Amino acid sequence: MTRFSAGVAGSSSGSNNNKRRNNTITAADKIVAATAGQDTWKTWAGRKHGSENFEMMDLFRGMKRSFHHTFLSGPPPSGTACPVCFCEPERPEDWHVTWCGHAVCIDCLQQYASNQVQDKEHSGPLKCPVCPQVLRRQDAVVAFGENTELIHLWDQKIRNQLLRALPSYRSCPKCSNNKNHNQNNSEAVESSGGGFVTPECLQPHYNERREAATRLLRGRGFVILAIFFGYCLVISVISKTPSQYPSVDLFFMLVPIYVFVKAALAAQHWLAHVARQHFFRPITVECPCCNEAFILPAESSHLQDDETSRWMDAHSRKCPSCSVPIMKTGGCNHMRCTHCRADFCWACMRLRTSCKAYQCVNGAPYKNAVPGFGDQDGPRAPQANDSILTVIDYLLERSCPQLTYRDGALLVVCLFARFVGPVQYIVNIVMAILSSVIVSQMILGGAILFVLNTMHRNVRLGVLQEGRQRHAAGNLDGVRPNHLNRRQIRRMEQEMVAEALRRSMEEM
């Protein structure tokens, strides 16, 4: 059993309460009292609608309200009753005019503020007792007056609200029950305890549960081996007590494979279910306010965040430009970040490289992509670096066959029905049909392979012959023009020689 961390949103110690019960208000108390009000554009302008941010007419409204509050507003005339208690204050100094313009007696304003602070359902700044407008800081200081106990109670209340708003805070159910039994005690109302749960304090518990789940999943191999030994035992029993027909024994050796495969799948699913239960076992913690133990759910956001970070480390990489995690489901090496639009290679994680689609030029330290790779239907098989929760979810998402009494009856039939005559007759017929079907399928498959091989050889020989013919025709076409050119040249040379001889004879 572990204990909450020291930071507690609960009641304070008695020594501090004794110190706070003095009647002298300090500057720090005034600052704390001012936090009960709110100075925003909405409160300054006196708007009853819209957000706290600036709007177009806020400047005009705020200046008008400031002028009216400074120069025109004041204590109401004698005989005017307070709108809260319907009594007339004795002195004009007992009146207070709020920023929203309502005049109330100071006693009613302080009592109204005390009721709001002590109300466990109230949250946020104080409001005007006449209208739903939020008080400004100067009005909140007047509402608390010299009541230091009320100021410190408000300080404790806003502190508890801020602490309880943190994601790591866990409230104590035992303190809440005690709070319901002590509705009249204001201190008990504010002392609903609890504490803070951080990943650091829960990490040892998560490591212990992760190791227990890992040990259970590692036992899958032993369970499958035990199931295989059971199948071998069935085969040995059948082989030691043979029947009259070997085909019957062979049939009843093959039939139990169906049952034992179902048993192996069901055992893996059961182990994954038990491992998940061990992984999310509840954690018992102790409240530092009431010292009572209660159960803290283990399936919290801290564990989910831890497993998510493990899964992202195993299945994603950071963009080399903006460090945004990216997961690749298929395609080539070229990637483009959807956040910063940077192009990079998935095989080497470098920006603006000359890598090919399926061939990295930088050595591919993260391995090249394979053409045609993509996600397949169904759950993805876990990898070696996956988290234990990923492996558990994968085993649980797979279809789990249910073992029924029929499977046990099938094993009994395989062991003891082999010697029954009608069973042997039926099994012999079934084995004969199966043998004929298998033999015919083998013959048909062999014939198809022979025909395909013959067709492939004929097509290949035809392609080779056609290529040779084209090659020979190309050589002839290339020789004829050369042969004809040589003959023409020789004829021209002969004609030139004859013409030269003729001219020489005429000159003589």
Side-chain angles (χ1 to χ4, degrees):
M1 183 174 64
T2 185
R3 186 179 177 90
F4 270 131
S5 58
V8 180
S11 60
S12 57
S13 60
S15 60
N16 292 332
N17 289 333
N18 295 331
K19 294 179 180 179
R20 291 173 180 176
R21 291 178 180 177
N22 52 9
N23 295 324
T24 58
I25 185 170
T26 62
D29 293 335
K30 291 184 178 180
I31 294 175
V32 173
T35 59
Q38 195 175 41
D39 281 344
T40 60
W41 284 104
K42 182 178 181 180
T43 57
W44 182 68
R47 285 189 287 110
K48 299 181 181 180
H49 60 276
S51 62
E52 305 293 336
N53 299 327
F54 175 76
E55 293 187 2
M56 291 296 296
M57 298 298 294
D58 283 350
L59 199 60
F60 173 74
R61 293 169 181 167
M63 294 176 64
K64 179 181 178 181
R65 189 169 292 273
S66 298
F67 179 81
H68 184 275
H69 185 77
T70 304
F71 299 102
L72 300 181
S73 65
S78 179
T80 305
C82 174
V84 179
C85 63
F86 301 104
C87 297
E88 182 182 357
E90 298 178 357
R91 299 175 303 171
E93 292 81 6
D94 294 337
W95 287 97
H96 177 74
V97 182
T98 61
W99 183 260
C100 54
H102 296 101
V104 294
C105 62
I106 296 179
D107 293 338
C108 291
L109 181 62
Q110 293 179 354
Q111 184 62 36
Y112 186 76
S114 177
N115 295 335
Q116 291 189 59
V117 172
Q118 295 180 5
D119 185 9
K120 61 179 181 179
E121 302 296 335
H122 175 267
S123 61
L126 302 181
K127 295 182 179 180
C128 175
V130 180
C131 69
Q133 287 282 6
V134 176
L135 295 180
R136 294 195 65 188
R137 295 181 182 272
Q138 56 190 14
D139 296 331
V141 173
V142 176
F144 281 105
E146 301 292 333
N147 193 346
T148 57
E149 291 186 1
L150 187 63
I151 294 175
H152 296 147
L153 186 62
W154 168 258
D155 185 19
Q156 181 181 351
K157 183 176 182 178
I158 61 175
R159 184 196 64 185
N160 293 347
Q161 290 178 356
L162 292 175
L163 292 177
R164 288 189 175 93
L166 296 176
S168 58
Y169 177 78
R170 298 292 183 273
S171 61
C172 175
K174 304 296 181 63
C175 292
S176 300
N177 295 334
N178 296 333
K179 173 188 65 177
N180 295 332
H181 292 294
N182 298 295
Q183 294 290 343
N184 297 327
N185 191 351
S186 61
E187 293 185 358
V189 171
E190 292 299 329
S191 64
S192 56
F196 298 94
V197 180
T198 59
E200 289 77 13
C201 65
L202 293 180
Q203 193 63 38
H205 301 277
Y206 292 153
N207 291 337
E208 179 185 355
R209 284 156 174 75
R210 188 177 291 110
E211 291 176 0
T214 304
R215 286 194 299 268
L216 285 172
L217 290 184
R218 287 176 180 173
R220 289 183 299 161
F222 297 101
V223 173
I224 294 175
L225 187 60
I227 294 174
F228 177 73
F229 283 157
Y231 174 69
C232 294
L233 180 61
V234 172
I235 293 178
S236 64
V237 171
I238 294 175
S239 61
K240 288 181 179 180
T241 58
S243 64
Q244 186 178 358
Y245 303 97
S247 60
V248 175
D249 295 335
L250 178 61
F251 177 80
F252 285 111
M253 286 182 182
L254 297 176
V255 170
I257 295 178
Y258 168 75
V259 179
F260 285 100
V261 169
K262 286 180 63 177
L265 294 176
Q268 292 189 47
H269 192 275
W270 176 77
L271 282 176
H273 181 70
V274 175
R276 187 175 181 85
Q277 288 182 344
H278 278 73
F279 195 75
F280 291 112
R281 286 202 315 269
I283 301 173
T284 303
V285 295
E286 182 179 344
C287 177
C289 296
C290 62
N291 295 327
E292 294 288 339
F294 64 94
I295 295 177
L296 181 71
E299 196 165 356
S300 61
S301 58
H302 300 302
L303 180 58
Q304 298 295 341
D305 294 342
D306 182 49
E307 292 299 320
T308 300
S309 62
R310 288 172 177 267
W311 187 90
M312 291 186 65
D313 292 340
H315 296 84
S316 64
R317 303 174 193 167
K318 292 184 178 180
C319 172
S321 177
C322 62
S323 299
V324 170
I326 298 175
M327 185 178 67
K328 183 175 183 292
T329 58
C332 62
N333 292 332
H334 179 261
M335 297 288 290
R336 175 172 293 174
C337 179
T338 57
H339 183 261
C340 64
R341 312 298 297 176
D343 296 330
F344 61 94
C345 175
W346 187 258
C348 62
M349 298 302 293
R350 296 185 181 181
L351 294 170
R352 295 179 293 275
T353 61
S354 58
C355 300
K356 306 299 181 182
Y358 296 99
Q359 186 65 35
C360 178
V361 298
N362 297 315
Y366 297 99
K367 296 183 180 180
N368 285 311
V370 179
F373 172 76
D375 285 344
Q376 300 177 355
D377 296 335
R380 183 189 64 86
Q383 305 297 326
N385 53 354
D386 283 345
S387 64
I388 187 65
L389 193 59
T390 304
V391 179
I392 292 174
D393 292 340
Y394 168 74
L395 294 176
L396 293 178
E397 288 175 2
R398 292 168 53 183
S399 60
C400 176
Q402 299 293 331
L403 290 175
T404 61
Y405 67 92
R406 297 179 182 178
D407 300 321
L410 184 60
L411 289 178
V412 174
V413 169
C414 293
L415 291 175
F416 302 105
R418 296 178 293 114
F419 306 100
V420 181
V423 175
Q424 293 179 352
Y425 178 74
I426 295 174
V427 170
N428 284 327
I429 294 176
V430 172
M431 291 298 290
I433 295 174
L434 290 176
S435 300
S436 61
V437 170
I438 293 173
V439 171
S440 61
Q441 292 292 332
M442 292 177 63
I443 294 174
L444 181 61
I448 292 174
L449 289 176
F450 177 75
V451 172
L452 292 177
N453 189 20
T454 304
M455 293 175 60
H456 177 69
R457 290 178 60 187
N458 293 335
V459 171
R460 186 176 180 182
L461 290 175
V463 172
L464 291 175
Q465 291 178 359
E466 184 178 358
R468 290 174 182 175
Q469 291 176 0
R470 290 181 179 178
H471 183 68
N475 290 338
L476 291 176
D477 292 339
V479 171
R480 284 173 183 172
N482 295 334
H483 181 67
L484 294 176
N485 291 335
R486 290 174 183 175
R487 292 173 64 180
Q488 291 177 359
I489 292 172
R490 289 178 182 176
R491 188 177 300 171
M492 291 175 62
E493 290 177 353
Q494 291 177 1
E495 290 177 356
M496 290 175 65
V497 171
E499 183 67 19
L501 292 174
R502 188 178 61 78
R503 288 180 180 179
S504 63
M505 290 295 294
E506 289 178 356
E507 292 177 355
M508 292 178 61

